[in-house]
Amino acid sequence: MPGISAEGTDVMSKLILALGFVSTFSLATWLQPRFAAMHGNQSENQSALAAMMGDSRRLFAQQFFVKADAYFHSGAYPGIFDAKSGDTNKAPDVDMADAAHGQGESDAELGHESSYLGRSDDWIEKLGRNFFPTIHTHLDKPGQAREILPWLKLSAELDPQKVNAYVTASYWLRHDPKHADEAEPFLREGLRANPDSYEILLELGKYYGENKKDPVRARNLFELAWAKWQQQKAAEKKPDELMGSEILGELVRNARQSGDTQRQLHYLELLKPLATDKDSVQKQIDALNAGAK
Amino acid sequence: MNNIFAIATVVLKEMYRRKDFYVLFVLTALITLVMGSVNIFHDDKIVRYLKEVCLLLIWISSLVIAITTAARQIPAERESRTIFPLLAKPVSRNQLIVGKFVGCWIACALALIVFYAFFGVITGAREHFWPIATYFQAVFFQWILLGIVLAMVLLGSLVFTAVSSNATICFIVVFGIMLLGGHLHKLAANMHGVSATITSVIYFIIPHLEFYDLRDWIIHDHGLVAWGPWGLAVLYGLIYSAIFLGFACLAFRRKALTL
Amino acid sequence: MAEFFSTPKNVVHVGHGGRAKSPHFHFHFSPIYLYSCPVKAVVEIKDLRVEYPSRELGQRTKVAVNGLSLQVAAGEVFGFLGPNGAGKTTTMNVLLGFVNPTSGSASIFGVDVQQPIARQRIGYLPELTYYYKFLNAEELLRFYAKIFNIPEREREIRIDEVLKLVELDHARKRLIKTYSKGMQQRAGLAQALINDPDLLILDEPTSGLDPLGRMKVREIIQRLKERGKTVFFSSHELGEVETVCDRVAILCQGELKTEGTVAEITAKHQMNLERVFLKIVGYQEE
Ligand SMILES: Nc1ncnc2c1ncn2[C@@H]1O[C@H](COP(=O)(O)OP(=O)(O)O)[C@@H](O)[C@H]1O
Ligand SMILES: [Mg+2]
């Protein structure tokens, strides 16, 4: 039969085609890195995928990383139009990663209506707020953090250069006794893609130090991380100062554990210019010097 | 009433004799199952991302079903000329519009029930948790949203001549409202002069479809939505559906039916 | 086919023997006032003018029907003749309320055509209709019967009768999209008869049918006439018009050229109907 019904079917088939395309596409993004890993020639395959997706791959990776952060906040999460979202790209990285470093938002904020919302201006907004999560919670009950892992993994697979994804995932994996051992292969994978990443080396060091109780390997990794950090500093790549101080902090702790005062002092001296709280570093140095005498 | 249900029945018959719904359902189920079988750090309890994927597919599929079904109703009647023998019988044009709407809306309800049953089984198998009341709130909300969309599309099918352009425009409008609808007043606050006024007028005129999206709510187990606001939003949606239907009837009333 | 139309028994089936014999049938849906003032003219068209927005550039409107006045009396078979594009379909569209007249008026059973109730007692067969292809004949008729509010028991009986009449009984469970063109046309005729109408408006009922199909349609019209129904049908097939029509009107370019019984017209013009028709549409004989 001619005519509209044919046209109607036409629209339908187009839409199904589009849907099918989207789904095959997402499937491909899932499967492709797996095959790549299977065949071992990652670089070649990845360039094929990269060619297909181009730079949008990075965008997706960032999107999934943000998704992970939203999950971390149980869905109560500022959108791009919310007041506190001026720096959309940075905010989530910092937030979830902060939690990963044990220094998230103050607990006082938790359990209340999220502060990013501000006051509602009209009845539409007021009504609408009943229908999306606004209670600020963190996914930190035992075992809950696993829910964010798929997004981090996806993010890392789409953009292997996304160091944050490896590090954050590893943090959550390491803190879940059932998954601690998964952290290492994932970090190694990240390291293969980012051989110069001091962040990943630091995280790997923590894995050996804290989870594996292997201070020697941990120390090697921390030292390597510090070397990479310094390399980048020398190459004027402006490495993250906070990270630098964290690496040194770990080295200090590692030295303290093995009772090596000399090494401890060495790293404390290095730490001093980077640290935010220079006085306390100085005090530690003084205390050590006093102890040595 | 009798006429409206007779017309609605024909829409339903068409719906279940076409393959569209089955294709979309199988696609949704298949993708969800594939995603569910993907190994993530050897953890088989991870459920939220699965919910996310499944709900996204359900949303897209149900919108595709609603928009394409509604968009072709009146144009197909005109193109195949069945509208002539139909309107030559004691049926008013308003009854035809309302009958088509009711038919599409019931079809959407059936589709949603099937989709969410699948969702409940898949997620329940993982987390052993069935918040039935919350699911009801979510499904009903989505149904109300589809009602608004259907009425909008029916109106569009009387205004735009080509089915495909109407469907495309409606898709864009629906996605636009879902993404931006709730933020227009903030955009307006950053504008000046006429454009600010226009933006805030749009903000107050459009049906706020984003109300009805309880996906994050379900994914992150936030419990029940307060029934008071929930009921208000349902009422709000019904009013908008009625308004769009009213406009559709008006547009259809004086239209000369020739090819 | 022949057996249907030769046995009077079947004729009775067509429509419960007409209004007088089955008052219960009309009882359910016909408002009293339709009967309370007996009208002689079933169809009445006065000074009808219909303009379409023109499809060609430059011209603002296209006049499809111009100053048409017609009356169709109860119980007669009225042939509405004219070449393609004469305005026949347009006139019928006005009668059924699909198109609003630019000026003039039209009424059916004395009720203005804008009222839906005017269509309760009409059966209409449009030209070239593709019925819902996802339904079968039975479901199609059931749907239309529901629209007429025919009670359920009555409904199934009517469906059986009408399907037998148009000889689609064997294919009643088949989807309409599998029908041949002739079968589709017969399904159309079936739906036009489902409410046992008093007035049938048929738009080129025989177009696209083979000779056998044409004969059948002609016979159905004949039977309906015998049962006191009014039939208003358009055609450009002169042969069939001559055999079944009480009166004819010839329309050309939207204007009524001549009207009357076949005998009157042939007497007036001193030539047979075909010649008259050809002369009116402007065909010059050598
Ligand atoms: N929708 C329309 N828009 C413009 N012109 C039309 C339309 N429908 C019919 N016409 C014109 O009106 C005239 C009468 O058409 P119609 O009533 O269909 O003729 P008939 O049925 O006698 O063949 C034709 O010239 C036709 O081109
Ligand atoms: Mg015609």
Side-chain angles (χ1 to χ4, degrees):
Chain A
M1 182 190 298
I4 287 284
S5 34
E7 201 184 340
T9 331
D10 191 43
V11 181
M12 193 66 203
S13 56
K14 259 188 228 154
L15 285 164
I16 289 183
L17 210 73
L19 197 70
F21 178 74
V22 169
S23 39
T24 11
F25 181 72
S26 46
L27 255 182
T29 53
W30 261 113
L31 293 174
Q32 207 275 340
R34 275 156 232 286
F35 283 121
M38 237 162 62
H39 292 106
N41 53 348
Q42 200 145 3
S43 55
E44 221 172 273
N45 271 310
Q46 224 136 39
S47 65
L49 182 68
M52 196 171 93
M53 292 184 66
D55 277 346
S56 64
R57 226 156 51 104
R58 294 246 149 72
L59 263 169
F60 275 106
Q62 173 62 22
Q63 217 40 56
F64 289 135
F65 191 77
V66 172
K67 187 106 220 157
D69 199 29
Y71 267 45
F72 177 65
H73 291 99
S74 303
Y77 199 71
I80 47 171
F81 295 102
D82 290 305
K84 217 179 101 177
S85 63
D87 43 355
T88 32
N89 281 332
K90 214 167 165 240
D93 291 81
V94 172
D95 220 17
M96 189 170 42
D98 276 355
H101 296 124
Q103 51 198 18
E105 298 121 298
S106 65
D107 285 350
E109 258 185 80
L110 297 177
H112 293 82
E113 187 153 294
S114 300
S115 51
Y116 67 82
L117 282 168
R119 269 189 51 241
S120 49
D121 302 328
D122 51 69
W123 67 273
I124 291 174
E125 190 176 358
K126 208 164 171 184
L127 183 60
R129 277 192 194 178
N130 292 292
F131 312 126
F132 58 85
T134 51
I135 303 299
H136 195 156
T137 53
H138 281 174
L139 255 191
D140 42 14
K141 293 199 193 70
Q144 269 194 326
R146 68 158 81 92
E147 300 293 354
I148 69 172
L149 294 174
W151 302 113
L152 293 173
K153 188 161 185 184
L154 195 56
S155 180
E157 280 185 4
L158 282 179
D159 181 4
Q161 265 75 52
K162 191 142 192 73
V163 168
N164 262 335
Y166 295 105
V167 173
T168 315
S170 155
Y171 172 84
W172 294 112
L173 287 169
R174 287 197 300 112
H175 286 78
D176 181 350
K178 268 198 283 180
H179 290 298
D181 287 342
E182 308 268 353
E184 195 202 350
F186 193 52
L187 283 172
R188 294 253 177 236
E189 198 184 304
L191 202 56
R192 264 197 302 281
N194 310 277
D196 289 333
S197 164
Y198 51 84
E199 295 99 327
I200 295 178
L201 286 166
L202 169 67
E203 190 61 28
L204 205 54
K206 284 183 186 169
Y207 168 75
Y208 280 110
E210 293 169 25
N211 297 77
K212 288 273 141 195
K213 310 287 179 227
D214 185 347
V216 182
R217 274 186 102 160
R219 179 185 154 188
N220 288 339
L221 285 160
F222 291 140
E223 276 174 352
L224 192 57
W226 178 238
K228 296 284 184 199
W229 192 91
Q230 280 176 310
Q231 261 176 34
Q232 292 204 13
K233 178 110 183 150
E236 308 225 343
K237 278 191 194 149
K238 294 214 168 65
D240 187 355
E241 304 241 316
L242 218 73
M243 285 300 252
S245 63
E246 206 183 327
I247 296 171
L248 288 170
E250 289 296 334
L251 279 165
V252 171
R253 187 140 27 125
N254 187 277
R256 193 190 303 133
Q257 274 167 6
S258 54
D260 189 337
T261 317
Q262 229 25 61
R263 213 150 48 82
Q264 222 177 320
L265 270 173
H266 169 66
Y267 288 124
L268 278 171
E269 288 295 347
L270 286 172
L271 179 59
K272 204 163 68 177
L274 289 178
T276 37
D277 188 359
K278 297 189 172 54
D279 288 346
S280 90
V281 177
Q282 188 56 51
K283 266 185 208 139
Q284 284 185 55
I285 294 175
D286 294 344
L288 274 177
N289 282 333
K293 280 166 200 164
Chain B
M1 225 40 197
N2 167 60
N3 287 350
I4 290 172
F5 280 113
I7 294 166
T9 314
V10 172
V11 177
L12 281 174
K13 279 218 174 90
E14 177 186 12
M15 162 97 174
Y16 75 70
R17 289 194 182 158
R18 285 175 70 111
K19 309 215 167 32
D20 311 348
F21 170 73
Y22 307 104
V23 170
L24 285 170
F25 178 73
V26 168
L27 216 64
T28 300
L30 216 65
I31 296 173
T32 308
L33 290 174
V34 168
M35 294 302 247
S37 67
V38 169
N39 159 30
I40 298 145
F41 301 116
H42 303 102
D43 192 327
D44 57 3
K45 287 218 177 59
I46 298 178
V47 70
R48 293 192 182 180
Y49 95 100
L50 198 62
K51 287 188 190 174
E52 175 111 32
V53 171
C54 191
L55 285 177
L56 179 68
L57 290 168
I58 289 175
W59 270 76
I60 294 175
S61 303
S62 61
L63 278 175
V64 168
I65 291 172
I67 291 178
T68 53
T69 312
R72 69 168 176 257
Q73 290 304 327
I74 304 286
E77 288 270 354
R78 296 182 66 183
E79 185 76 8
S80 65
R81 307 175 63 109
T82 40
I83 199 163
F84 296 116
L86 180 54
L87 286 181
K89 299 184 170 46
V91 180
S92 71
R93 294 187 181 194
N94 292 352
Q95 285 172 334
L96 176 59
I97 296 277
V98 176
K100 291 292 184 186
F101 173 78
V102 170
C104 292
W105 211 23
I106 295 174
C108 284
L110 298 177
L112 283 179
I113 289 170
V114 173
F115 275 124
Y116 275 89
F118 171 77
F119 174 80
V121 168
I122 287 292
T123 59
R126 284 214 168 190
E127 52 178 3
H128 306 290
F129 176 56
W130 283 274
I132 301 290
T134 311
Y135 286 173
F136 168 76
Q137 287 186 325
V139 176
F140 202 84
F141 251 25
Q142 196 172 349
W143 190 56
I144 293 291
L145 173 138
L146 291 178
I148 304 174
V149 172
L150 289 174
M152 212 159 77
V153 176
L154 278 176
L155 173 60
S157 72
L158 295 167
V159 177
F160 306 107
T161 33
V163 178
S164 48
S165 56
N166 179 31
T168 314
I169 289 170
C170 288
F171 264 109
I172 292 170
V173 168
V174 169
F175 280 112
I177 294 178
M178 298 281 292
L179 290 177
L180 293 177
H183 304 294
L184 283 176
H185 63 308
K186 289 177 203 149
L187 288 178
N190 293 330
M191 293 176 177
H192 302 286
V194 189
S195 58
T197 319
I198 293 174
T199 311
S200 27
V201 166
I202 293 175
Y203 174 75
F204 283 104
I205 285 181
I206 54 166
H208 282 269
L209 301 178
E210 77 276 2
F211 286 175
Y212 304 96
D213 182 359
L214 288 185
R215 279 180 299 158
D216 278 346
W217 202 279
I218 298 184
I219 292 169
H220 299 288
D221 300 331
H222 281 269
L224 273 178
V225 176
W227 285 102
W230 183 86
L232 265 181
V234 168
L235 193 68
Y236 171 89
L238 292 178
I239 290 172
Y240 266 96
S241 306
I243 290 173
F244 282 128
L245 269 188
F247 278 120
C249 289
L250 276 182
F252 197 37
R253 179 161 294 162
R254 298 294 295 172
K255 208 175 175 90
L257 291 178
T258 51
L259 282 177
Chain C
M1 175 185 86
E3 67 181 64
F4 261 123
F5 297 97
S6 52
T7 32
K9 192 178 73 202
N10 284 317
V11 177
V12 178
H13 276 298
V14 170
H16 277 250
R19 203 193 315 169
K21 284 181 219 164
S22 61
H24 64 282
F25 185 60
H26 289 285
F27 173 77
H28 299 284
F29 50 81
S30 296
I32 304 295
Y33 71 84
L34 283 180
Y35 298 100
S36 58
C37 49
V39 271
K40 274 207 82 188
V42 172
V43 176
E44 186 157 22
I45 299 171
K46 272 195 206 133
D47 289 326
L48 183 70
R49 182 181 172 91
V50 181
E51 291 171 4
Y52 288 117
S54 178
R55 283 169 180 158
E56 285 143 54
L57 285 175
Q59 289 165 293
R60 288 216 10 248
T61 52
K62 155 118 187 92
V63 181
V65 176
N66 190 8
L68 176 68
S69 294
L70 265 187
Q71 288 205 346
V72 180
E76 76 181 351
V77 174
F78 193 96
F80 198 36
L81 299 182
N84 286 326
K88 304 183 295 288
T89 301
T90 303
T91 306
M92 292 185 165
N93 282 347
V94 170
L95 287 179
L96 292 155
F98 303 149
V99 171
N100 298 313
T102 311
S103 65
S105 66
S107 62
I108 290 177
F109 300 115
V111 180
D112 188 88
V113 290
Q114 300 292 326
Q115 313 278 335
I117 200 68
R119 287 168 239 142
Q120 183 72 50
R121 290 157 67 198
I122 298 180
Y124 170 58
L125 174 70
E127 59 178 343
L128 294 174
T129 296
Y130 309 90
Y131 292 91
Y132 306 100
K133 54 179 184 170
F134 45 87
L135 295 182
N136 60 36
E138 199 181 292
E139 290 166 329
L140 180 79
L141 293 178
R142 196 167 294 135
F143 165 55
Y144 288 132
K146 274 190 202 159
I147 297 281
F148 279 111
N149 229 339
I150 302 175
E152 198 170 328
R153 202 166 36 88
E154 189 86 33
R155 193 193 298 157
E156 298 305 315
I157 298 170
R158 298 270 331 141
I159 291 171
D160 283 346
E161 284 173 356
V162 178
L163 281 174
K164 281 211 187 85
L165 179 69
V166 300
E167 290 185 4
L168 282 177
D169 207 23
H170 63 284
R172 59 191 292 162
K173 301 262 186 217
R174 254 168 66 191
L175 290 187
I176 293 176
K177 67 177 168 193
T178 64
Y179 281 14
S180 71
K181 188 158 186 200
M183 289 168 85
Q184 292 222 8
Q185 189 77 355
R186 280 186 278 154
L189 207 53
Q191 66 79 25
L193 293 170
I194 191 70
N195 60 329
D196 188 24
D198 293 327
L199 167 65
L200 270 152
I201 298 179
L202 313 175
D203 198 351
E204 301 191 12
T206 55
S207 74
L209 294 184
D210 58 14
L212 214 65
R214 281 177 200 203
M215 189 164 83
K216 180 188 289 176
V217 171
R218 225 178 296 145
E219 279 175 329
I220 291 177
I221 292 173
Q222 200 75 51
R223 295 300 176 203
L224 291 168
K225 179 187 166 188
E226 279 165 22
R227 288 185 31 247
K229 307 286 178 186
T230 313
V231 182
F232 179 70
F233 80 101
S234 74
S235 180
H236 46 238
E237 308 279 340
L238 297 168
E240 71 192 29
V241 170
E242 268 188 292
T243 52
V244 296
C245 288
D246 298 319
R247 282 202 308 142
V248 296
I250 299 179
L251 196 68
C252 187
Q253 293 184 326
E255 283 171 25
L256 187 66
K257 298 295 180 188
T258 185
E259 194 209 333
T261 63
V262 177
E264 279 168 9
I265 292 174
T266 48
K268 185 172 143 199
H269 292 264
Q270 292 292 311
M271 50 178 105
N272 69 20
L273 193 61
E274 187 175 343
R275 289 266 178 86
V276 176
F277 183 82
L278 290 174
K279 191 178 138 205
I280 284 171
V281 304
Y283 177 82
Q284 297 296 322
E285 265 181 295
E286 312 286 294

